[in-house]
Amino acid sequence: MLPTATHPSPSVDYAAVLAQIHEQVAHALGRGRVADYIPELARVDAQQFGMAVVRLDGSVFEVGQARTPFSIQSISKLFALIMALKSDGERLWARVGREPSGNAFNSLVQLEYERGRPRNPFINAGALVITDVLCQHFVVPEMAVVEFLRKLSGNASLSYDSSMAASEQGCSDRNAAMAHFMRSFGNLRNTVPEVIEAYCRQCAIEMSCVDLARAMTVLANHGAIPGSNKRVLDVSSAKRVNALMLTCGAYDASGDFAFRVGLPAKSGVGGGIVALIPGECGICVWSPPLEESGNSLVGSLALELLTTWSLNSIF
Ligand code: DON
């Protein structure tokens, strides 16, 4: 049964909401297809499901395998973007756009007629430009992303999985093709192998739903780490990142995802989706099988249940 919330209430019983969602998605676990174009990703158990909410006051709510680390893949693009914005600010937008692509995340076609400037920082081509920016600023860019995520999540032991990174690097012809193409337009400053290596390692970072939901509280809190005076982004940059997630965070399915879920979110082919409710909480859901656009099928459903049924009283 779906929960019925009839009275607007600022304090939500997230433990009950998550338990209910867990029950409601149980029948769909395993539906969709686990990503197998990166061999190491195909080995994951398709039945796993976890979800976590971390409120701005630090309280944590979780269900299922919310403490199991998984490969964050494209979710890393969100945090790499924040880092590149911190270092390059407005200059970044000369190299990458901010429009939904309407194409697959690894599509090459648009790059040619848009002269090597990717549509947005979340498709693979855009993320490669962002990684190139990080290569300009950090000696070991993937470790800079790891350090940043350790700080945001409060988990000092997280890192990337070298076998996953090597597995992706071994089949990265398509990403390398995009990188070469952009380099031919002067939109890549480092060599293609340097950028691809850093990119594959950054995508292979492993985090749990609880780690990621906590990391997302900085964006729910308009760019400041909750409970500290530390600001990661100014308020308007945080607003822009959230807007990009809403419009481009679920690739070719972004419009439908925004219609169904209505939250700024970012997905990864490891089956994770991060999201946030501004002023309220960071969220992460994980279920490995994907729908055809590359977003977690059950993860999208869980978020839709959260916003369309459980939390409609606070929107
Ligand atoms: O470059 C790739 O294809 C992967 N490392 C990341 C793709 C990804 O996560 C797209 N997400 N839905």
Side-chain angles (χ1 to χ4, degrees), residues 167-219:
S167 177
E168 177 163 5
Q169 230 180 309
C171 60
S172 59
D173 291 336
R174 208 177 169 97
N175 284 336
M178 286 185 230
H180 279 293
F181 197 73
M182 292 189 292
R183 199 169 145 85
S184 77
F185 282 101
N187 202 9
L188 214 70
R189 313 283 150 83
N190 297 275
T191 66
V192 171
E194 278 168 331
V195 174
I196 294 289
E197 183 179 75
Y199 171 82
C200 292
R201 289 179 173 170
Q202 157 205 316
C203 287
I205 292 172
E206 294 198 317
M207 291 173 76
S208 70
C209 290
V210 172
D211 291 335
L212 280 164
R214 193 176 286 111
M216 290 303 283
T217 58
V218 72
L219 289 169

Side-chain angles (χ1 to χ4, degrees), residues 37-38 41 72-75 77 105-106 122 124 168 175 199-200 203-204 249 251 266-270 272 290 293-296:
Y37 73 101
I38 300 172
L41 267 185
I72 70 169
Q73 293 296 321
S74 284
I75 295 173
K77 295 171 180 172
F105 63 83
N106 55 2
F122 294 153
N124 285 10
E168 177 163 5
N175 284 336
Y199 171 82
C200 292
C203 287
Y251 302 108
K266 179 75 198 82
S267 67
V269 289
L290 312 175
S293 298
N295 306 298
S296 168

